[in-house]
Amino acid sequence: MERYSPTTIESKWQRLWEEEKLYQTDLSQTPKFYCLVMFPYPSSDKLHIGHWYNYGPTDTFARFKRMQGFNVFEPIGFDAFGLPAENYAIKTGVHPQKSTEENIDYIRKQLKQIGAMYDWSKEIITCHPNYYRWTQWLFLQLFKNGLAERKLSFANYCPSCKTVLANEQVKEGRCERCDSEVIQKELEQWFFKITNYAERLLSNLKKLNWPLKTKLMQEHWIGKSEGAIIQFPIEKTNHLIEVFTTRPDTLFGATYLVISPEKWRRSFSFLKTTSEVNQYIKQSEKKTYFQRQFSKEKSGVFTGFYALNPINKQRIPIWVADYVLPDYGTGAIMCVPAHDERDFEFAQKYHLPIIQVVKPPKTKEPSLQKAYSEPGIMINSGRWDGMSSEAFKEEVVRYLSQKGLAKKTTYYKLRDWLISRQRYWGAPIPLIYCPNCAKKIKEGERKNFSKGELLNPGWIAVPEKALPVLLPKEVNFQLSGQSPLASVSEFLHTKCPKCGSPARREVDTMDTFVCSSWYFLRYLSPQLENKPFDKTLVNKWLPVDLYVGGAEHATMHLIYARFITMVLHDLGFIDVEEPFARLYHQGTITHKGAKMSKSRGNVVIPDHFVKKYGSDSFRMYLMFMGPYDEGGDWSDYGIVGVYRFLNRVWTLVQKVKQNKEKITFNAKLEQKLHQTIKKITEDLENLRFNTAIATLMQWLNLAYNNVKTVDKEMLDTYLKLIAPFAPHLAEELWHQLGHSNSIFKESWPHYQKELIAEQQVTIIIEINGKVRDKLTLPSTTKQKEIEKLAQTRPKIQQYLQNKEIKKVIHIPGRLINFVLK
Ligand code: ANZ
Ligand code: ZN
């Protein structure tokens, strides 16, 4: 008997599938199913177990959908720009292009070993000019429409990577990549105005079939806050301070104001203060936002000025303190120590008055040990005492706004997306700075300039026809704090496309998250020459039906891609505005109870196991380990178990093939098979791979113990069920059973309802026509047996004691009536 040799059959089928172009999707067919995974970054670490866990099970799902009759599109590509390749170049001198291409070649081979249904004819590589040309096109669309803006702003800056970082790339005050402490640096940078879309990004979440946790993270990230701006006049000046508060109801309890150091420097430095204030401002600007927000010890200085509380004309001191951030709200706050924890700490430290104005609803004599931040009843609030704080919140804003002293306002925590990077290995920003055009715009010329050019005077768009702006090959990577592209004079010096004057190119490149914000559109027509994507295909194939990837992308990539899709929708390029209808996050695979890491020495290298047990066993073990969204702990022994199971599937087929005797029909096995179809179909719809595999194992055990009763039809069905999980093995055995077409051209088995149910009926038991009890039993139970069972019921026995049964009336499936003498 031939033995199961995964390596032989897997490479054979991978080759045959490719020759047959089995997985090249004809995008004109329906019904469509777009199955997407987060494309890999071609790092030197190659494909690790996390990738496998993302890609293997997702492919199982895609194969299932294909067999259900969907025209499944499952593309793959490479997110190929980014810092690691450049950092590697700095260290070793190997050009990022070279190391990236090498990594891609290697990873492509690894990906092929998964044996997934990737349509390789649609591969994309974001660092290739035929892709980044369209990333640049995308930039220009945002620019032209006033959604890209150059702003001077405080940016997160990593002194070691010598580049700015997006908020999302800062983890607990440290650089996500190199773990150095991030500082704040004021720089001119390019931003995409994602904040214009804050409300829509928030409200659309309702429509999405996404994990609740991810939606909540996005909600939190967008951070909508409804409150009011209240004006406080500065005493003895004719200036005002505007504060943003979400608790206008606590206004009577405001005992001081705090302005952020930056705001004071920018807007109030004309007010003469002591040198202490200036010193404090200088010091705090060195701190990171993280230190400022989360340090235990709050600090601040009194400015010497007072403000007047607009509700009661109370004189309250104005402080500068760095726990107030410059770029949220108005950069200034009214402080209510009785009801805000931070203010409470600060007030205690600097002996500022604490006035309680809200008391808990049921207490009489309030005493305050710490800030009370719940709603309650107003006290110490003049004629509003006794009112609920919720009602007063509305009332006080209405009252003050009549006098022009307040207005309702909503702020969002979401910041504009900082997309420029002072690095080499990225898509060049397609803009040119022309001093001559800058001058013309300043002099009032508006004609011939786009919205973006007027918004950013002097910055001229590279004409779309002239794209791509090619990344020059020869550059000096050594970090100088300046973009490496500035060192290439042929790149830098150019002519203005508008007026022909000498001009210089933008030397910053784009954040790689721009590349990945639209790749799912390009997959549909990656070779298209004159357009970024085919509008008809996009409208047909989007939204993506299932997107699977790591939960760590909950905020960055998954917000950016939504934003860019909305922008393209609004500019009329595509019909959809939400890219991913259903989202799923795979869990994590640990080893020896801990996250895998090189330093711990517990990394499981997929290639070793794939070589030994085959890709089918590897993928199936990953799926068997635990619920897909949780993951599990790797065990070398566990994969052996799955490997043995696949061996038994193999052996069963060999035995059935060799069986020459007549097969006796086994109703139990047949029924179990139909129950298996039902269970696996339901489990697969919900990505419950582990329980589906357990069910597959159960049927196999039953069949294995009754080999003489397994007929070929049953095996055909069983192979179809196992095909999405162990595609190579199933295809091989399918052919061994005499089929000549791929099993993946077969349709998914249906179960017969009648077969699976051991149907139950409920029979009413009557004594002399009165209902006394009931009985549930299999519908096939014989009448005599029902009679006997009914008589043994304790409730019925009560009535039967010492009585004789005259007659039994039986209505099958419904009722049995004992008539007594
Ligand atoms: C007075 C007050 C009384 C406040 C009270 C809270 C409780 P969220 O929900 O996060 O939007 N705040 C406003 N701008 C700030 C800034 N730039 N830096 C630091 N804190 C700032 O929080 C809004 C509240 O955070 C505002 O409401 C303000 O303090 C503070 F019992 O105003 B509150
Ligand atoms: Zn010009």
Side-chain angles (χ1 to χ4, degrees):
M1 195 166 73
E2 219 183 314
R3 286 189 49 206
Y4 173 42
S5 161
T7 34
T8 323
I9 63 168
E10 287 176 3
S11 56
K12 171 177 128 192
W13 285 110
Q14 282 162 18
R15 182 171 48 80
L16 290 173
W17 287 335
E18 197 163 329
E19 279 171 20
E20 209 191 317
K21 298 189 167 60
L22 188 64
Y23 305 130
Q24 281 192 21
T25 312
D26 176 354
L27 296 176
S28 68
Q29 298 300 309
T30 49
K32 65 99 181 179
F33 195 95
Y34 192 164
C35 188
L36 184 68
V37 291
M38 292 184 180
F39 62 165
Y41 172 76
S43 95
S44 54
D45 284 345
K46 312 291 183 330
L47 216 59
H48 54 67
I49 200 156
H51 293 115
W52 261 93
Y53 198 43
N54 187 170
Y55 303 159
T58 306
D59 179 63
T60 292
F61 184 80
R63 287 180 182 276
F64 163 64
K65 283 285 147 191
R66 177 185 170 125
M67 293 176 79
Q68 276 189 325
F70 288 94
N71 183 35
V72 177
F73 180 47
E74 198 187 5
I76 194 80
F78 298 92
D79 189 11
F81 272 136
L83 268 182
E86 190 170 345
N87 288 344
Y88 183 71
I90 293 164
K91 242 199 275 168
T92 63
V94 177
H95 196 281
Q97 171 126 30
K98 184 162 184 284
S99 59
T100 303
E101 295 290 351
E102 281 170 8
N103 288 340
I104 287 178
D105 285 343
Y106 191 93
I107 294 173
R108 195 187 282 118
K109 285 200 195 94
Q110 289 182 304
L111 283 167
K112 290 195 171 177
Q113 283 181 352
I114 295 179
M117 296 201 301
Y118 298 133
D119 182 347
W120 285 100
S121 70
K122 301 292 197 305
E123 180 194 77
I124 54 181
I125 297 176
T126 60
C127 69
H128 284 181
N130 78 351
Y131 184 88
Y132 73 69
R133 168 182 184 180
W134 301 111
T135 305
Q136 293 173 337
W137 172 90
L138 178 70
F139 177 93
L140 289 182
Q141 305 317 306
L142 279 103
F143 179 77
K144 270 201 292 203
N145 289 285
L147 289 169
E149 189 180 11
R150 197 171 167 85
K151 290 192 278 196
L152 187 68
S153 95
F154 277 93
N156 305 304
Y157 187 82
C158 172
S160 150
C161 293
K162 294 208 167 95
T163 184
V164 300
L165 302 170
N167 285 344
E168 295 85 340
Q169 291 166 322
V170 182
K171 296 275 137 74
E172 307 203 326
R174 294 181 170 274
C175 172
E176 182 191 50
R177 297 200 190 275
C178 75
D179 211 36
S180 315
E181 198 154 306
V182 171
I183 59 166
Q184 300 301 308
K185 200 168 172 179
E186 201 162 30
L187 293 163
E188 263 197 29
Q189 299 286 335
W190 287 102
F191 290 86
F192 280 166
K193 292 192 179 179
I194 191 171
T195 51
N196 288 12
Y197 284 74
E199 187 59 43
R200 212 151 122 216
L201 286 166
L202 182 68
S203 59
N204 271 9
L205 283 173
K206 286 194 290 287
K207 298 192 232 166
L208 304 176
N209 179 3
W210 283 25
L212 184 63
K213 204 169 151 208
T214 307
K215 291 207 226 182
L216 288 175
M217 277 174 81
Q218 291 211 348
E219 195 179 311
H220 189 77
W221 190 259
I222 296 164
K224 184 177 183 173
S225 213
E226 288 173 294
I229 289 183
I230 299 178
Q231 296 181 345
F232 286 71
I234 306 177
E235 190 195 44
K236 295 179 186 145
T237 72
N238 43 21
H239 294 279
L240 288 170
I241 293 176
E242 290 193 321
V243 305
F244 172 61
T245 177
T246 47
R247 293 291 307 275
D249 53 311
T250 62
L251 185 55
F252 279 93
T255 54
Y256 60 99
L257 293 190
V258 171
I259 301 186
S260 71
E262 293 85 350
K263 173 98 178 177
W264 183 269
R265 184 169 52 72
R266 253 181 248 153
S267 314
F268 298 103
S269 50
F270 60 87
L271 298 171
K272 286 274 157 297
T273 52
T274 58
S275 63
E276 208 193 333
V277 175
N278 293 325
Q279 235 163 30
Y280 178 81
I281 292 175
K282 270 207 202 95
Q283 252 168 25
S284 62
E285 285 180 351
K286 281 197 211 120
K287 294 192 207 164
T288 66
Y289 279 13
F290 186 81
Q291 290 168 332
R292 287 168 58 167
Q293 273 182 294
F294 299 107
S295 78
K296 289 256 147 40
E297 187 78 351
K298 306 260 172 299
S299 68
V301 280
F302 175 46
T303 62
F305 288 86
Y306 288 85
L308 298 176
N309 189 332
I311 194 87
N312 58 8
K313 304 291 176 291
Q314 276 283 330
R315 201 170 164 258
I316 60 175
I318 303 171
W319 285 63
V320 168
D322 62 16
Y323 73 92
V324 175
L325 301 176
D327 57 0
Y328 183 63
T330 61
I333 66 173
M334 66 179 215
C335 297
V336 187
H339 303 293
D340 182 281
E341 208 180 307
R342 292 169 306 173
D343 299 347
F344 189 83
E345 265 175 57
F346 193 85
Q348 284 201 316
K349 179 169 174 186
Y350 294 105
H351 309 292
L352 292 155
I354 299 175
I355 301 175
Q356 186 172 6
V357 293
V358 178
K359 75 172 186 69
K362 288 198 179 82
T363 52
K364 282 212 184 77
E365 275 309 309
S367 76
L368 217 56
Q369 306 305 326
K370 58 178 183 48
Y372 173 73
S373 57
E374 302 294 304
I377 307 297
M378 299 314 303
I379 54 171
N380 299 326
S381 297
R383 60 187 163 95
W384 290 283
D385 281 358
M387 196 179 213
S388 82
S389 63
E390 303 284 19
F392 184 51
K393 202 180 210 173
E394 298 289 318
E395 176 64 21
V396 67
V397 178
R398 208 176 306 132
Y399 174 80
L400 289 175
S401 50
Q402 279 162 4
K403 307 181 170 198
L405 296 169
K407 62 173 188 288
K408 270 197 166 172
T409 313
T410 301
Y411 279 106
Y412 298 87
K413 296 261 158 41
L414 187 69
R415 300 280 80 116
D416 277 336
W417 175 12
L418 199 174
I419 59 111
S420 46
R421 297 288 182 274
Q422 291 72 57
R423 297 302 294 252
Y424 166 69
W425 194 231
I429 293 176
L431 293 176
I432 289 169
Y433 186 79
C434 169
N436 184 41
C437 285
K439 197 164 134 253
K440 282 199 258 172
I441 293 174
K442 286 216 179 87
E443 287 165 1
E445 193 177 321
R446 301 189 66 81
K447 254 193 7 230
N448 296 325
F449 292 108
S450 71
K451 206 166 161 183
E453 286 159 347
L454 293 170
L455 183 67
N456 304 285
W459 290 99
I460 305 296
V462 171
E464 283 177 27
K465 291 192 302 288
L467 297 181
V469 174
L470 283 174
L471 195 58
K473 184 115 199 259
E474 304 304 326
V475 294
N476 175 13
F477 301 117
Q478 294 316 314
L479 296 175
S480 59
Q482 212 194 10
S483 303
L485 289 181
S487 69
V488 186
S489 101
E490 314 85 86
F491 179 84
L492 184 64
H493 300 294
T494 183
K495 279 204 186 104
C496 171
K498 276 258 144 84
C499 71
S501 317
R504 62 177 171 82
R505 278 187 199 281
E506 171 59 87
V507 289
D508 286 357
T509 56
M510 280 184 251
D511 179 6
T512 52
F513 279 118
V514 181
C515 309
S516 58
S517 69
W518 72 284
Y519 75 111
F520 42 90
L521 305 177
R522 184 72 182 169
Y523 268 145
L524 295 161
S525 44
Q527 281 105 20
L528 204 60
E529 288 282 347
N530 55 350
K531 276 182 285 184
F533 45 77
D534 180 317
K535 187 172 175 171
T536 321
L537 282 181
V538 168
N539 289 342
K540 179 180 163 192
W541 280 86
L542 271 271
V544 166
D545 297 278
L546 176 68
Y547 193 21
V548 183
E552 69 276 14
H553 293 289
T555 48
M556 315 182 248
H557 163 60
L558 287 167
I559 285 194
Y560 298 148
R562 294 182 60 213
F563 161 61
I564 291 298
T565 308
M566 277 178 201
V567 170
L568 290 172
H569 166 270
D570 290 358
L571 298 180
F573 290 109
I574 58 179
D575 288 351
V576 286
E577 62 170 49
E578 282 295 340
F580 315 125
R582 183 179 181 193
L583 175 73
Y584 199 92
H585 299 306
Q586 78 275 11
T588 35
I589 306 288
T590 54
H591 189 204
K592 299 184 175 145
K595 218 182 142 197
M596 289 184 207
S597 77
K598 277 192 198 137
S599 56
R600 270 197 208 96
N602 64 344
V603 177
V604 172
I605 297 170
D607 297 29
H608 298 173
F609 292 94
V610 172
K611 210 164 164 196
K612 196 159 172 196
Y613 302 108
S615 145
D616 283 342
S617 287
F618 192 75
R619 137 184 342 207
M620 209 157 174
Y621 173 51
L622 289 179
M623 287 187 275
F624 190 47
M625 265 165 127
Y628 190 34
D629 57 355
E630 287 174 25
D633 197 52
W634 174 272
S635 115
D636 290 359
Y637 185 71
I639 189 170
V640 178
V642 171
Y643 177 64
R644 286 214 187 103
F645 161 64
L646 292 184
N647 263 296
R648 291 180 96 200
V649 175
W650 175 275
T651 312
L652 177 70
V653 173
Q654 308 310 317
K655 285 188 175 167
V656 173
K657 268 195 333 189
Q658 284 162 8
N659 188 15
K660 298 271 155 18
E661 290 164 44
K662 194 169 177 299
I663 285 153
T664 43
F665 180 71
N666 181 342
K668 184 95 187 57
L669 194 60
E670 175 84 355
Q671 182 184 48
K672 190 83 187 144
L673 186 61
H674 282 259
Q675 286 167 341
T676 303
I677 299 173
K678 180 170 190 280
K679 175 86 169 97
I680 291 181
T681 310
E682 288 164 2
D683 280 351
L684 276 176
E685 287 292 358
N686 295 297
L687 293 90
R688 288 193 298 251
F689 303 109
N690 56 333
T691 51
I693 293 172
T695 309
L696 283 169
M697 290 174 169
Q698 283 165 13
W699 188 83
L700 186 84
N701 283 341
L702 196 63
Y704 211 82
N705 296 332
N706 300 278
V707 177
K708 294 261 152 61
T709 66
V710 180
D711 65 27
K712 203 177 138 290
E713 275 87 275
M714 282 186 192
L715 270 193
D716 279 354
T717 305
Y718 186 73
L719 287 180
K720 286 182 202 168
L721 295 179
I722 209 173
F725 299 89
H728 308 88
L729 174 75
E731 184 79 303
E732 172 66 23
L733 294 176
W734 178 253
H735 282 75
Q736 287 187 14
L737 286 179
H739 302 282
S740 52
N741 246 338
S742 170
I743 192 167
F744 298 103
K745 288 185 170 168
E746 294 296 312
S747 49
W748 189 249
H750 290 282
Y751 61 88
Q752 276 170 272
K753 272 213 188 82
E754 322 76 70
L755 256 178
I756 60 168
E758 290 184 73
Q759 268 181 16
Q760 304 278 315
V761 283
T762 300
I763 309 274
I764 289 169
I765 312 171
E766 294 182 351
I767 305 282
N768 290 336
K770 284 217 174 81
V771 180
R772 298 297 181 194
D773 199 0
K774 49 189 187 213
L775 187 62
T776 301
L777 28 72
S779 60
T780 46
T781 320
K782 301 251 157 43
Q783 177 169 346
K784 275 272 167 278
E785 207 170 325
I786 297 173
E787 247 175 64
K788 253 203 272 169
L789 279 168
Q791 287 182 36
T792 58
R793 310 276 294 179
K795 272 192 195 160
I796 301 302
Q797 281 193 341
Q798 282 175 32
Y799 295 99
L800 295 184
Q801 267 168 22
N802 311 322
K803 302 259 167 67
E804 200 181 311
I805 298 170
K806 205 166 88 184
K807 203 162 94 182
V808 180
I809 302 165
H810 189 133
I811 307 173
R814 285 184 49 202
L815 174 150
I816 186 157
N817 183 12
F818 297 104
V819 183
L820 306 182
K821 258 194 177 146

